[in-house]
């Protein structure tokens, strides 16, 4: 049997260990209700549960079996989709792009069965952009421009590194219910989720067009004025990041 256990850092390992959940077997056998009903495809399945650790913080426990995606390095058998998502989370973290936080990835491969687990920290205190537009946005019009600007800057940083989210819908962009500092949203208040399809694009312009077209078509609640704010902030951030890159060189 092939086995793999990965932690992004020692703090993540210690936090899960404190709840006796720092090993594959303990996480796989954990009895919890499904937060999202398992998704079945091509003989495999993938599901998500929410669990509260002993310290009171919450995690999302994602388990799957034979739920694979093909890559350039593994074009035939493929790899677990959670492994690709875990690597993408680390990729965004290294580039200071806001994303969901990974605590653990593990898999077990035995004959025809390939099981995988991804543990992420629950984004408590955050809601999706779609939810914000419905539940918060109309009641806090003064915060709207800063929220739109913060999301635009986060998207520009993502694309500056040539990364394409590939599923950039309002439901996959999370923002704090209440800004961390004062009453104005910052880029640090934005998190991207659902990163299994994130990939390195051919060019910044192509990833920009792809992602922003998706965001425009799949995000409700923004009018033309909102989108003008978004595009102006996006362009400003893009120029600033390009200038920083030149300075570093």
């Amino acid at each position: 049997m092939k086995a793999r256990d990965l932690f992004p850092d020692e703090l993540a390992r210690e936090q899960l260990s404190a709840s006796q959940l720092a090993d594959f077997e303990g996480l796989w056998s954990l009895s919890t209700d499904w937060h999202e009903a398992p998704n079945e495809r091509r003989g495999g399945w993938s599901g998500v549960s929410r669990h509260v650790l002993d310290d009171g913080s919450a995690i999302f426990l994602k388990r799957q079996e034979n739920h694979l995606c093909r890559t350039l390095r593994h074009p035939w058998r493929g790899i677990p989709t959670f492994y690709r998502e875990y690597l993408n989370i680390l990729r965004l973290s290294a580039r200071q792009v806001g994303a969901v936080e990974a605590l653990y990835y593990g898999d077990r491969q035995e004959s025809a069965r390939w099981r995988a687990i991804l543990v992420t920290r629950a984004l408590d205190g955050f809601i999706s952009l779609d939810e914000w537009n419905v539940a918060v946005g109309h009641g806090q019009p003064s915060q709207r421009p800063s929220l739109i600007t913060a999301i635009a800057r986060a998207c520009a940083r993502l694309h500056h590194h040539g990364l394409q989210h590939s599923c950039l819908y309002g439901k996959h962009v999370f923002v704090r219910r209440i800004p961390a500092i004062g009453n104005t949203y910052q880029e640090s208040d934005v998190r991207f989720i659902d990163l299994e399809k994130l990939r390195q694009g051919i060019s910044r312009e192509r990833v920009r067009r792809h992602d922003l077209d998706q965001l425009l078509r799949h995000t409700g609640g923004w009018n033309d004025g909102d989108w003008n704010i978004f595009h102006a902030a996006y362009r400003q951030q893009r120029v600033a990041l390009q200038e920083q890159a030149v300075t570093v060189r």
Side-chain angles (χ1 to χ4, degrees):
M1 179 179 71
K2 295 182 180 179
R4 178 166 41 190
D5 296 281
L6 304 174
F7 296 87
D9 52 53
E10 194 59 32
L11 289 177
R13 184 195 299 269
E14 291 174 359
Q15 185 175 22
L16 292 176
S17 294
S19 296
Q20 293 76 51
L21 291 175
D23 65 277
F24 187 93
E25 288 71 23
L27 287 163
W28 186 267
S29 62
L30 186 65
S31 179
T32 59
D33 293 331
W34 292 115
H35 181 76
E36 296 178 6
N39 173 30
E40 299 183 8
R41 72 175 189 186
R42 292 197 293 267
W45 61 268
S46 178
V48 182
S49 301
R50 178 183 168 92
H51 179 73
V52 178
L53 300 176
D54 290 351
D55 63 6
S57 64
I59 61 172
F60 279 111
L61 171 59
K62 308 174 75 171
R63 290 172 281 196
Q64 63 183 200
E65 181 173 289
N66 292 342
H67 201 274
L68 310 174
C69 61
R70 293 184 175 89
T71 68
L72 291 176
R73 290 187 178 182
H74 304 87
W76 305 113
R77 177 73 188 276
I79 60 173
T81 58
F82 288 166
Y83 183 50
R84 182 164 69 175
E85 185 171 7
Y86 175 77
L87 294 178
N88 282 335
I89 291 172
L90 298 187
R91 180 188 292 185
L92 293 193
S93 177
R95 290 161 176 78
Q96 298 182 320
V97 178
V100 64
E101 180 184 355
L103 297 177
Y104 168 81
Y105 171 81
D107 58 32
R108 298 291 185 269
Q109 187 177 3
E110 185 175 11
S111 62
R113 187 172 64 185
W114 199 349
R115 290 176 169 176
I117 294 173
L118 175 62
V119 178
T120 61
R121 193 180 303 283
L123 284 172
D124 291 342
F126 287 74
I127 56 176
S128 72
L129 174 59
D130 286 346
E131 293 173 307
W132 193 93
N133 284 331
V134 173
V136 182
H138 296 296
Q140 297 288 344
S142 62
Q143 292 181 340
R144 195 177 192 86
S146 69
L147 176 94
I148 295 169
T149 297
I151 293 172
R153 288 174 175 168
C155 290
R157 187 178 301 276
L158 177 74
H159 298 153
H160 172 74
H161 295 289
L163 298 173
Q164 179 176 300
H165 186 285
S166 301
C167 199
L168 194 61
Y169 302 173
K171 65 180 180 180
H172 296 149
V173 180
F174 271 58
V175 298
R176 294 188 197 273
R177 285 182 178 273
I178 301 172
I181 302 174
N183 197 45
T184 303
Y185 279 94
Q186 308 294 328
E187 184 184 344
S188 57
D189 293 317
V190 180
R191 300 286 187 276
F192 294 111
I193 70 164
D194 196 27
L195 298 170
E196 67 179 55
K197 295 181 180 179
L198 183 138
R199 65 181 183 85
Q200 190 75 40
I202 296 175
S203 70
R204 292 175 182 171
E205 184 60 26
R206 289 189 66 170
V207 301
R208 181 194 70 80
R209 286 201 307 267
H210 182 280
D211 276 354
L212 297 192
D213 179 64
Q214 283 192 328
L215 190 65
L216 175 64
R217 289 187 292 110
H218 296 281
T219 300
W222 284 8
N223 56 37
D224 289 344
D226 294 331
W227 284 109
N228 287 338
I229 293 172
F230 178 94
H231 289 299
Y234 182 97
R235 287 193 297 269
Q236 184 181 47
Q237 175 79 321
R238 185 172 60 179
V239 170
L241 291 171
Q242 289 172 345
E243 291 176 349
Q244 289 176 15
V246 171
T247 301
V248 170
R249 292 174 190 168

